[in-house]
Amino acid sequence: MKDHYDIAIIGTGPAGMAAATVASAHGADVLIVDEQPEVGGQIYRGITRQSIKDRTILGDDYYKGQNLAGAFAASNVDHVSGATVWQVSPEREIGISKDGAAHLLTADQVIIATGAQERPFPIPGWTLPGVMTAGSAQILLKSSGITFSNAVFVGTGPLLYLIAYQYLKAGVPIRAILDTTPKSNRLKALPHLPGALSHLGSIMKGWKWIKALKSSGTLFIEGIDDLKITGKNSTEAIEYLVQNKWHRIETSNVFLHQGVVPNVNLAMASGCVYHWNEQKLCWHASTDEWGSSNVPGISIAGDGGGIGGAIAAEYQGRITAYQALYTTNKIKKQERDINVLPTRHALAHEMRIRPFLDAMFRPAVQFRIPTDDATMVCRCEEVTAGKIRASVSLGCAGPNQLKSFTRCGMGPCQGRFCSLSVSELIAEARNISVNELEQLRLRPPVKPLMLAELANLSTFASEDT
Amino acid sequence: MSTSKQTADAIIVGGGLHGCATALYLAMRGINCAVLEKDYVGRHASGVNAGGVRRLGRALPELPLADTALSIWRNIEDLVDDDCGFESLGQIKVAENDAELSALKNRAKTVQDIGFSHEEIIDQKQLRELLPAVASHCIGGLYVNGDGHANPYRTVTAFKRKAISMGVRIFEQTPVNEIVRHGTNWLVKSPSVKIEAPIIVNCAGAWGGSIAAQLGDYAPVEAQALMLMITARMPRFVKPVVGSQGRALSFKQFDNGTVMMGGAYQGRAEPEQNNTHLSFNGLAKNACAATAMFPIMRHATIVRSWAGIEGVMPDNIPVIGAGSANGVYHAFGFSAHGFALGPLVGKIITDLIDGGDIELPIDAFRIRRFSQNKDT
Amino acid sequence: MHEIEMNPSPKVSIKFDGQTLQANEGETVAAALLRQTHLAFRTTAVTGTSRGPFCMMGICFDCLVEIDGVPNKQACMTYVENGMRVKRQLGAGDTGVFLSDEEDTQ
């Protein structure tokens, strides 16, 4: 690690790897940092190890990541793995922790490629041990070959069906799939279907997964109106409401999923402006066509700015890298434009399916804004929906005041698993749109930082001066 | 946007603790008042400060006020129907060597010489009894029994709620654009409301200097961003609020287990943008001080750091008292230690307005001290 | 638990609340514990209820455990090492370990 780089990239998912490969190929001095020991992000997690013997389990889309990872491995970048970035300041001072020591360095250009996280799924019992995200199921499968027999998969969205399908391919019995996709979504998605037809292959693939799951004899329930997970100290059962009737399935493992949303904390804490996207029901980075944010020198690529998927992320990574090369005088404007043009076309093509997917798998309101006041919204500080509604009636106007009222969002996850629910809940209670609310103010360190690490930084600083 | 026009007996500019406390005391005397707050109540220093309620180490002119303020804090629930999270578990300034301890002894004597007996020197054994987790090399300290801390945002919100229940109008998201004379009244213009009243109180904190200028007074208040950081919940291991004679450190653990650390380490304030920036080199020094004093803290995790925008005066003591024009009063520039004084200052300003006797010495805080210095 | 066939990797042994268990090199503490069907890793500091891993990608902080005497470690972000001592984290943790004099070395 040096004190200064031309370009620093946060995240080694598809966007980060693509950006780093392009940037270093044009002579930039590049740093790329990621929390994981290996590249790939979550989507291509474990891609350089390929531990699973049977390649048909994870499917071809996953192994596409090999090309990207291969090109990245051949490029000349400083790759700092297993390190946490806890701040990017508006002056592009980057705070990094690795092996128990903290460091500060700077870069002329910073590309934030922090990817996506799963949308919160606040239903009764979602904090019980044994309840995990569907993404967790995939991470455990990809990196350790661990699966859970007789688990229940719950929710909506391509990733949910994909993971269930991967379980099926791996021969792991699934207890049930509880599909929460609102039936009315189909009608609403229909107008977006023509635009998505250029991705007929992807749509057919999704259909194939669902068809295979249904014909496998796995219990597949649609039209779920309400859910609760029960158990004393651990998950014992999931109950679901269909056509005004409650049913119960006993299980120790529930995997929840209702889409992915941008992982915004680092960029927001840097001062990057995000706005509420009502179609996608999450925050979207207010960036220009180059991924540049309102903060000079900081750009956002990939799902961390707005969900487009792994292929789109790769394209965005390249585009932001070319712009970063241009602004750091590594390439001329003409070179930038010539290089970027085909990628832009490919990106536009890739994004054409999104409006259809957003409409088709828009999560139901009752699974985003809990109706039951006892439901936990802030997992860290154990703040319930009822407590939040009570605070609003006491005059709490937004998520920042809510912190002071209830400590909601003040735990170690720093709002990652509550802020979307909180924003929608307060907006609903106040009968305004989320865009009219003040956003949660995020401050570094965006990941908890051990005091001893921070104290070490002081030793470095005083040695320097 | 249509602008409504209203009148009041008194207008308070600034919805921090001093503004809300002043509004509450005025309302209790039947003086009808309106508070104009450019953001929301408690948005800046009042809501995000470290919450110390102390006499320990106070500037000498503030000591009588701090002492009287404590009696309000002890009964704060009677005043605002909320205990404001006030805990009176003492405050200690720790000495790590003989030189520091003798400096503390001198301080204790100075305080005694002007008639206060609350600051007492403690030895190493007493120190370890009060602070079992303190580093073993610490040799003693200066202790004040009865000092403590409260929850800042909860406090300012309690004052706001109580004031509203007494009929105070609080206008949030209402920045003051202009203040002009209108007959014998002050007319305050904001985008959404115009209010006039014979009395105006400047409780605008870091923004108090520009409000003072519009009222014909001069005060060189500087906006500073004093950084604080807080840990994840920890087992409870320290009760008193802890400071250090030799290091810049303020350290306290709340009853929920989180530990807050500060020490006047500066970030960068942008008062016009309502924004502050942090300096991790400063926070790192703060971390060094905390881990040196409490080895337990090495494994603590910081989950958040922030800086409130504080109004700091060149002499580090506030402006409290009447302005030069009729009907003008000031209470701002508390230089990052005004939280404890807030409730009392509300009462002092009310006494001044209401023509009551001021028993406490407040001459040191007059706003004229800056224009007098400027003239000479 | 149903294990998918993986390319062989060296084994390490770790301790979880005193009990020895085998783990694969290159996997996280959370994965190693889940393989043994340990689902609950800690109790919360607020109400003392049980929690276990939720996101497995370092953002939910529900898998916090004590590792080699250091509390608040994310089990899903920490990779196993031979001889590692992992403990369930109960509430906000235990002060006892911190207050001993051997810790006080600065």
Side-chain angles (χ1 to χ4, degrees):
Chain A
M1 248 190 293
K2 291 178 250 182
D3 289 342
H4 182 81
Y5 289 87
D6 295 329
I7 300 171
I9 300 163
I10 323 297
T12 56
M17 283 194 289
T21 308
V22 165
S24 65
H26 289 81
D29 199 5
V30 179
L31 169 75
I32 187 163
V33 192
D34 195 278
E35 279 183 305
Q36 295 294 338
E38 293 158 351
V39 298
Q42 301 305 334
I43 192 84
Y44 300 133
R45 191 165 166 147
I47 193 71
T48 49
R49 271 195 297 144
Q50 300 157 36
S51 305
I52 294 187
K53 280 193 167 167
D54 180 355
R55 281 174 65 121
T56 64
I57 294 174
L58 295 177
D60 292 342
D61 283 346
Y62 171 72
Y63 293 98
K64 275 182 194 164
Q66 279 181 318
N67 294 337
L68 196 55
F72 172 79
S75 67
N76 178 29
V77 299
D78 269 8
H79 176 202
V80 177
S81 61
T84 303
V85 173
W86 37 267
Q87 85 148 357
V88 173
S89 79
E91 295 78 24
R92 298 179 307 285
E93 180 188 67
I94 304 167
I96 300 175
S97 280
K98 183 173 164 66
D99 299 332
H103 309 269
L104 286 175
L105 53 88
T106 54
D108 292 333
Q109 292 285 316
V110 176
I111 299 174
I112 295 179
T114 47
Q117 67 161 82
E118 286 171 277
R119 177 188 293 283
F121 205 136
I123 53 173
W126 73 308
T127 54
L128 280 168
V131 180
M132 300 172 79
T133 64
S136 300
Q138 204 185 39
I139 289 167
L140 284 164
L141 172 62
K142 281 176 190 168
S143 46
S144 299
I146 295 173
T147 61
F148 291 90
S149 309
N150 297 313
V152 177
F153 286 81
V154 184
T156 183
L159 188 62
L160 183 81
Y161 310 122
L162 170 61
I163 296 163
Y165 180 73
Q166 289 169 338
Y167 258 51
L168 196 67
K169 290 290 263 182
V172 186
I174 297 172
R175 183 69 184 82
I177 295 164
L178 304 180
D179 191 323
T180 63
T181 314
K183 288 232 164 93
S184 59
N185 280 9
R186 289 183 196 167
L187 207 60
K188 287 172 191 155
L190 209 55
H192 301 292
L193 190 58
L197 280 180
S198 54
H199 288 268
L200 199 58
S202 301
I203 295 172
M204 292 309 288
K205 209 183 295 171
W207 254 317
K208 186 184 87 179
W209 301 336
I210 294 171
K211 217 178 119 200
L213 288 164
K214 284 181 175 172
S215 62
S216 71
T218 304
L219 188 62
F220 196 113
I221 314 278
E222 289 167 281
I224 309 274
D225 290 321
D226 205 355
L227 285 164
K228 61 178 124 170
I229 302 163
T230 55
K232 201 162 176 289
N233 290 315
S234 198
T235 304
E236 291 168 15
I238 180 159
E239 297 174 27
Y240 59 95
L241 181 71
V242 173
Q243 290 177 341
N244 295 316
K245 218 178 144 200
W246 280 98
H247 304 264
R248 178 186 155 93
I249 299 174
E250 286 187 13
T251 182
S252 308
N253 298 92
V254 173
F255 294 115
L256 300 174
H257 179 81
Q258 50 178 352
V260 293
V261 294
N263 200 341
V264 297
N265 284 49
L266 182 64
M268 272 195 186
S270 310
C272 296
V273 170
Y274 277 69
H275 61 271
W276 180 255
N277 183 310
E278 188 53 36
Q279 276 66 51
K280 292 173 183 283
L281 295 167
C282 59
W283 302 108
H284 248 226
S286 305
T287 46
D288 66 12
E289 55 177 343
W290 300 101
S292 304
S293 77
N294 55 300
V295 183
I298 299 183
S299 52
I300 304 170
D303 280 359
I307 301 301
I311 306 295
E314 186 181 332
Y315 297 150
Q316 289 169 342
R318 269 188 228 154
I319 294 170
T320 50
Y322 278 114
Q323 174 68 353
L325 287 164
Y326 168 64
T327 43
T328 52
N329 298 316
K330 301 289 178 203
I331 57 172
K332 297 248 174 346
K333 188 165 181 287
Q334 200 188 3
E335 193 181 355
R336 175 196 74 176
D337 292 344
I338 289 169
N339 275 299
V340 155
L341 196 63
T343 311
R344 267 203 202 293
H345 286 308
L347 176 62
H349 172 79
E350 192 58 31
M351 296 305 277
R352 245 168 244 148
I353 193 175
R354 286 288 143 187
F356 172 74
L357 294 178
D358 291 340
M360 187 64 209
F361 301 110
R362 184 182 175 89
V365 65
Q366 70 270 28
F367 300 130
R368 306 192 322 265
I369 309 175
T371 44
D372 182 348
D373 270 348
T375 307
M376 207 65 85
V377 172
C378 170
R379 299 172 63 96
C380 297
E381 289 292 328
E382 302 188 53
V383 182
T384 61
K387 210 165 166 190
I388 296 170
R389 290 196 175 97
S391 302
V392 173
S393 65
L394 281 173
C396 170
N400 295 306
Q401 284 154 284
L402 188 67
K403 290 200 291 186
S404 309
F405 272 81
T406 64
R407 293 190 51 79
C408 183
M410 294 177 91
C413 103
Q414 304 178 337
R416 286 172 174 86
F417 269 107
C418 69
S419 68
L420 287 176
S421 323
V422 162
S423 298
E424 285 207 88
L425 217 159
I426 296 179
E428 185 195 62
R430 291 187 54 204
N431 200 20
I432 59 175
S433 83
V434 175
N435 254 332
E436 292 172 72
L437 283 182
E438 194 182 42
Q439 278 175 26
L440 185 66
R441 271 194 300 280
L442 295 168
R443 287 297 180 88
V446 299
K447 285 261 171 126
L449 175 63
M450 217 197 294
L451 205 60
E453 292 175 314
L454 183 55
N456 285 343
L457 180 68
S458 166
T459 324
F460 289 121
S462 56
E463 278 169 6
D464 291 347
T465 48
Chain B
M1 197 191 291
S2 68
T3 317
S4 71
K5 177 140 189 205
Q6 305 194 14
T7 58
D9 296 334
I11 298 164
I12 295 157
V13 180
L17 181 57
H18 294 86
C20 290
T22 304
L24 175 58
Y25 276 103
L26 285 170
M28 292 192 310
R29 305 270 176 91
I31 297 168
N32 177 316
C33 56
V35 179
L36 272 64
E37 163 55 47
K38 71 184 182 64
D39 298 300
Y40 58 80
V41 164
R43 164 70 177 82
H44 296 289
S46 288
V48 301
N49 68 79
V53 177
R54 66 172 169 89
R55 294 164 291 176
L56 175 63
R58 282 258 166 207
L60 297 183
E62 289 182 12
L63 259 186
L65 275 63
D67 202 48
T68 309
L70 196 67
S71 59
I72 300 180
W73 280 104
R74 288 198 182 106
N75 302 300
I76 197 88
E77 195 165 358
D78 296 341
L79 185 65
V80 293
D81 308 329
D82 187 324
D83 68 18
C84 300
F86 177 65
E87 283 189 302
S88 160
L89 299 167
Q91 292 224 3
I92 300 177
K93 196 175 254 190
V94 175
E96 295 175 74
N97 54 48
D98 289 334
E100 288 174 21
L101 192 60
S102 81
L104 290 176
K105 283 177 179 162
N106 290 339
R107 159 76 189 186
K109 187 172 181 308
T110 309
V111 169
Q112 272 162 21
D113 287 348
I114 62 165
F116 292 97
S117 57
H118 55 265
E119 295 191 3
E120 56 176 303
I121 291 290
I122 54 172
D123 63 18
Q124 191 167 32
K125 187 163 164 286
Q126 291 167 303
L127 181 70
R128 281 201 79 89
E129 274 164 20
L130 287 162
L131 302 174
V134 79
S136 54
H137 70 275
C138 297
I139 59 165
L142 189 58
Y143 175 57
V144 179
N145 188 11
D147 280 5
H149 64 266
N151 180 326
Y153 187 80
R154 188 167 149 195
T155 303
V156 65
T157 305
F159 273 86
K160 168 195 169 182
R161 258 205 302 271
K162 183 74 180 188
I164 289 172
S165 78
M166 303 283 296
V168 172
R169 285 163 284 167
I170 297 185
F171 298 89
E172 294 177 286
Q173 310 297 338
T174 307
V176 169
N177 288 349
E178 195 186 4
I179 305 171
V180 291
R181 264 293 193 197
H182 187 242
T184 55
N185 279 348
W186 293 99
L187 173 65
V188 180
K189 298 177 185 173
S190 81
S192 54
V193 67
K194 283 183 186 171
I195 308 185
E196 64 173 87
I199 288 165
I200 184 162
V201 188
N202 172 14
C203 296
W207 296 264
S210 66
I211 299 292
Q214 294 185 67
L215 298 169
D217 286 313
Y218 169 74
V221 57
E222 187 199 343
Q224 290 187 0
L226 299 183
M227 301 188 293
L228 292 168
M229 52 185 174
I230 197 157
T231 68
R233 291 172 189 256
M234 298 176 73
R236 189 118 199 218
F237 67 94
V238 58
K239 285 186 171 168
V241 178
V242 183
S244 159
Q245 175 62 20
R247 305 169 191 266
L249 179 69
S250 115
F251 187 97
K252 66 171 70 76
Q253 186 172 31
F254 294 106
D255 61 358
N256 63 31
T258 60
V259 176
M260 181 191 279
M261 284 158 281
Y265 297 95
Q266 297 247 5
R268 185 161 54 80
E270 290 180 333
E272 301 312 318
Q273 280 77 43
N274 274 348
N275 204 3
T276 56
H277 295 280
L278 303 170
S279 149
F280 272 87
N281 281 319
L283 289 173
K285 291 185 187 109
N286 199 345
C288 272
T291 50
M293 205 74 99
F294 291 100
I296 179 178
M297 292 302 292
R298 285 202 299 259
H299 292 158
T301 44
I302 301 302
V303 294
R304 216 166 32 260
S305 59
W306 70 94
I309 301 181
E310 300 273 0
V312 177
M313 306 311 300
D315 51 7
N316 274 304
I317 56 171
V319 173
I320 308 170
S324 29
N326 269 346
V328 172
Y329 298 87
H330 299 285
F332 66 91
F334 282 80
S335 309
H337 49 263
F339 177 68
L341 303 181
L344 175 73
V345 169
K347 185 172 180 299
I348 290 174
I349 296 293
T350 299
D351 285 342
L352 287 171
I353 291 170
D354 200 24
D357 288 337
I358 309 291
E359 285 163 16
L360 292 161
I362 58 165
D363 192 52
F365 311 117
R366 70 197 185 284
I367 197 163
R368 294 265 297 156
R369 68 186 192 268
F370 302 109
S371 42
Q372 282 159 353
N373 290 345
K374 204 173 139 197
D375 293 344
T376 52
Chain C
M1 237 295 294
H2 181 116
E3 203 143 352
I4 307 302
E5 199 185 349
M6 305 284 278
N7 291 316
S9 64
K11 303 284 179 219
V12 298
S13 81
I14 63 169
K15 280 209 159 143
F16 181 52
D17 280 348
Q19 177 197 345
T20 302
L21 43 97
Q22 295 290 309
N24 293 340
E25 204 174 272
E27 74 182 358
T28 62
V29 170
L33 299 187
L34 288 168
R35 176 178 286 115
Q36 311 295 328
T37 63
H38 291 295
L39 297 175
F41 285 22
R42 67 172 187 125
T43 59
T44 63
V46 184
T47 62
T49 51
S50 285
R51 290 284 173 89
F54 179 69
C55 77
M56 284 301 287
M57 54 180 276
I59 60 171
C60 79
F61 293 84
D62 259 328
C63 64
L64 297 178
V65 288
E66 187 188 303
I67 296 180
D68 292 337
V70 181
N72 293 313
K73 298 297 274 186
Q74 290 177 283
C76 77
M77 299 297 285
T78 310
Y79 285 77
V80 290
E81 281 172 28
N82 205 28
M84 198 176 240
R85 290 170 297 123
V86 182
K87 280 170 78 177
R88 277 201 178 85
Q89 184 165 314
L90 304 178
D94 175 17
T95 40
V97 289
F98 305 114
L99 296 182
S100 66
D101 272 332
E102 62 169 357
E103 283 283 314
D104 188 358
T105 50
Q106 279 207 340

